[in-house]
Amino acid sequence: MSKTNQLHELDTLAASWEATTHEVTITEQRTKKRDELRLFSMSEITESIIKIAPGHLRRVLKENPDLPQGYTKVPNGMRWFSFSEIQTLRQYFHNTGAKHKKYYPYRPNGTPPKVVTILNYSKHNGKTITATNLATAATIDGYKVLLMDLDPQCDLTNIFGIGNTDKWATSYSILPKNFAHFLKHENIKRMSRGEPPIPMNPDVAESNKHDVHSSINKTKWMNLDIIPSSFESFSCDLRFAREVGNFPNWKYWKSIKDIFNDPQIDEDYDIIIIDTSSNATHIAISAAIAADIILIPCKMTMNSISKTTKFLSLLNSTIEEINRVEYTEATAIGESYQDIRWDSINFCPLSNTFEHVNNNRWEREFRIKFNDFTYNTSQFYSPLLDQLHGGIANVYEIDYRNVDRREYQRTRQNFDVLYDEFKKTLERAWSNNIPT
């Protein structure tokens, strides 16, 4: 059998495997009911979600029978509430509670949502775990969150139970759509000069029929949506890497920033969190440019730290080149140009175990060098995260009654403290951008 025939046969087998796994995924989603989120106890609500006195909540529920009353297995037992019911209670307290108490988190009026890009071109540094748990914690806190998965491995997409999706309903369309817009204007200029237009690839032309809103999927968490990824995004970025070379005046780095320049996005979401791949792709560069805040998860080992510093050097040289191009164009037409800047860039250290947090040589050395840019909280990888649906990596979905209580408490506390630091970063960024 020739090498060409072997490749064709492998492609046929791969397509068959894809069809089989798609059917299995659909069946599992039906049987496991992954669209159903666990219930939350009254103690969780009063301690970490709405944060009110338990006695006060019980009195309010008694006096307002139209409010969600929760579910209990036995008379006078612990009450359990769905997440959507919790949002109803939050809105009620916001409308009727004491004015000095805040039942929704901080976002000044008139400010756009904050875009948070999670970057590191070195693998296995916890980007997806960070994105998952920060997004969920922010949703529980009362923010409206949009996740975007740019990794062709689709881990974030799978975590939130989004099955096989048409590629045009994913982040796949971002680069083709931006290139289509660029090519359209190039062809208008060419035809005005009497030159033939550049043919538009059918895939590029198709992308014009889709916008970001058609790619947004609801998750089981109310107020937490996701733009899923597609395995085909891998070939997409490879193909458009050639177009970057063929059309050096195409500003591919504006691809994501442009799609979020949307009044409806401003209204629907408070935070946009982007999970990138472990490759220095053009779409990852675009995600960095679109960001207000960059978070860099980094495992505290010599190898990971070394690769992360090399990534920073690569990112810096790329941004310098983009700034040079933009500055040259702006000054050529008599306009000013401000270099690309971020509200904040922070490292999120990651340790292999709880015992290693803040307690290994490389983390101590790292904090000495990068202290001003590093969160005080170190994430640790808990085996607990592998116990939920085969590694779903979301501590906030775990029903603490079904797992080791001590392991749950320290894992949950770890991400809660990390979120508190992240929230302070958000609040500082918004405070510095309040319209005058």
Side-chain angles (χ1 to χ4, degrees):
M1 185 185 294
S2 70
K3 291 182 179 180
T4 303
N5 288 339
Q6 286 177 334
L7 191 59
H8 178 74
E9 183 179 349
L10 285 171
D11 185 53
T12 303
L13 291 171
S16 174
W17 173 261
E18 185 69 20
T20 302
T21 54
H22 175 67
E23 196 62 39
V24 170
T25 300
I26 296 300
T27 302
E28 285 186 350
Q29 286 177 340
R30 288 171 181 159
T31 57
K32 290 184 179 180
K33 297 182 179 180
R34 290 186 62 180
D35 57 329
E36 292 183 3
L37 188 61
R38 71 174 178 91
L39 299 177
F40 296 80
S41 68
M42 183 177 283
S43 61
E44 281 184 278
I45 295 171
T46 57
E47 291 172 12
S48 60
I49 302 180
I50 302 181
K51 299 178 183 177
I52 54 177
H56 179 50
L57 177 56
R58 283 192 289 269
R59 284 193 300 274
V60 168
L61 293 179
K62 186 176 181 179
E63 294 167 3
N64 297 272
D66 291 340
L67 287 175
Q69 297 295 310
Y71 162 78
T72 180
K73 289 185 177 179
V74 296
N76 301 318
M78 175 70 76
R79 298 195 210 184
W80 297 82
F81 296 79
S82 70
F83 193 64
S84 61
E85 289 175 329
I86 293 171
Q87 301 315 305
T88 301
L89 294 176
R90 188 195 299 275
Q91 187 63 46
Y92 173 83
F93 284 108
H94 174 73
N95 293 338
T96 64
K99 297 302 180 184
H100 68 277
K101 187 169 175 58
K102 303 299 181 185
Y103 295 97
Y104 284 98
Y106 176 77
R107 177 188 172 184
N109 292 330
T111 57
K114 285 299 177 186
V115 179
V116 182
T117 297
I118 299 179
L119 281 173
N120 195 326
Y121 300 157
S122 174
K123 294 182 179 180
H124 309 302
N125 277 286
K127 292 189 298 295
T128 301
I129 289 176
T130 303
T132 300
N133 288 283
L134 287 182
T136 311
T139 304
I140 289 173
D141 195 27
Y143 282 119
K144 294 178 290 183
V145 182
L146 175 63
L147 278 165
M148 173 182 275
D149 189 359
L150 295 182
D151 190 343
Q153 293 186 78
C154 304
D155 288 338
L156 189 70
T157 298
N158 293 330
I159 281 170
F160 286 95
I162 308 300
N164 288 15
T165 306
D166 178 78
K167 68 182 182 182
W168 296 113
T170 71
S171 57
Y172 171 90
S173 63
I174 294 171
L175 278 178
K177 187 172 183 65
N178 191 271
F179 184 68
H181 181 75
F182 162 79
L183 203 55
K184 175 184 175 181
H185 288 276
E186 281 293 300
N187 280 334
I188 289 172
K189 288 187 287 186
R190 288 174 67 91
M191 289 186 289
S192 70
R193 297 192 298 263
E195 299 174 9
I198 301 166
M200 190 174 287
N201 181 287
D203 229 26
V204 173
E206 175 67 23
S207 68
N208 267 324
K209 302 175 184 177
H210 307 272
D211 64 14
V212 64
H213 301 285
S214 64
S215 301
I216 295 175
N217 287 252
K218 298 291 182 184
T219 72
K220 65 186 79 173
W221 291 87
M222 184 178 179
N223 295 331
L224 174 55
D225 299 341
I226 185 171
I227 298 174
S229 185
S230 164
F231 182 73
E232 292 176 89
S233 297
F234 179 75
S235 59
C236 178
D237 206 88
L238 287 177
R239 186 168 78 248
F240 281 95
R242 293 195 296 270
E243 305 297 2
V244 172
N246 294 334
F247 300 94
N249 54 334
W250 173 35
K251 297 181 180 180
Y252 69 89
W253 55 85
K254 293 186 175 181
S255 298
I256 294 178
K257 199 175 187 70
D258 286 349
I259 66 170
F260 288 147
N261 186 21
D262 183 319
Q264 192 62 50
I265 294 288
D266 286 5
E267 182 179 338
D268 290 347
Y269 302 102
D270 302 306
I271 308 169
I272 299 165
I273 297 179
I274 304 174
D275 184 26
T276 59
S277 68
S278 299
N279 296 295
T281 60
H282 294 96
I283 195 69
I285 294 296
S286 179
I289 301 296
D292 300 298
I293 297 166
I294 289 181
L295 295 183
I296 307 170
C298 181
K299 189 179 289 185
M300 292 293 99
T301 64
M302 182 181 70
N303 188 42
S304 289
I305 293 171
S306 177
K307 289 180 177 179
T308 298
T309 56
K310 290 185 175 74
F311 143 70
L312 288 172
S313 178
L314 173 64
L315 179 62
N316 183 59
S317 62
T318 304
I319 298 300
E320 284 183 345
E321 176 61 20
I322 291 172
N323 279 329
R324 185 192 64 78
V325 170
E326 295 278 20
Y327 175 80
T328 301
E329 290 189 5
T331 54
I333 57 175
E335 295 182 354
S336 59
Y337 172 70
Q338 185 180 55
D339 286 353
I340 296 165
R341 296 178 183 177
W342 297 276
D343 293 324
S344 179
I345 301 176
N346 294 102
F347 291 101
C348 300
L350 175 69
S351 296
N352 287 329
T353 66
F354 177 76
E355 288 73 20
H356 285 167
V357 171
N358 295 322
N359 192 33
N360 80 62
R361 172 192 170 188
W362 295 111
E363 180 163 356
R364 290 193 295 271
E365 294 287 342
F366 184 85
R367 288 186 178 278
I368 290 171
K369 295 282 188 185
F370 297 97
N371 183 62
D372 292 344
F373 298 91
T374 305
Y375 278 171
N376 293 322
T377 307
S378 290
Q379 298 181 74
F380 70 92
Y381 187 78
S382 168
L384 187 66
L385 298 176
D386 278 333
Q387 296 177 23
L388 186 66
H389 299 308
I392 214 163
N394 190 343
V395 68
Y396 297 98
E397 286 192 21
I398 297 175
D399 188 332
Y400 59 80
R401 297 170 296 177
N402 300 330
V403 296
D404 179 82
R405 186 66 62 90
R406 179 172 174 269
E407 186 67 24
Y408 171 81
Q409 286 175 339
R410 68 184 191 180
T411 304
R412 172 68 183 265
Q413 183 182 33
N414 180 243
F415 283 107
D416 284 347
V417 174
L418 177 69
Y419 172 69
D420 286 343
E421 281 203 76
F422 170 68
K423 185 177 178 181
K424 289 174 183 175
T425 302
L426 281 173
E427 291 174 345
R428 282 195 299 269
W430 267 315
S431 296
N432 294 334
N433 300 142
I434 295 176
T436 55

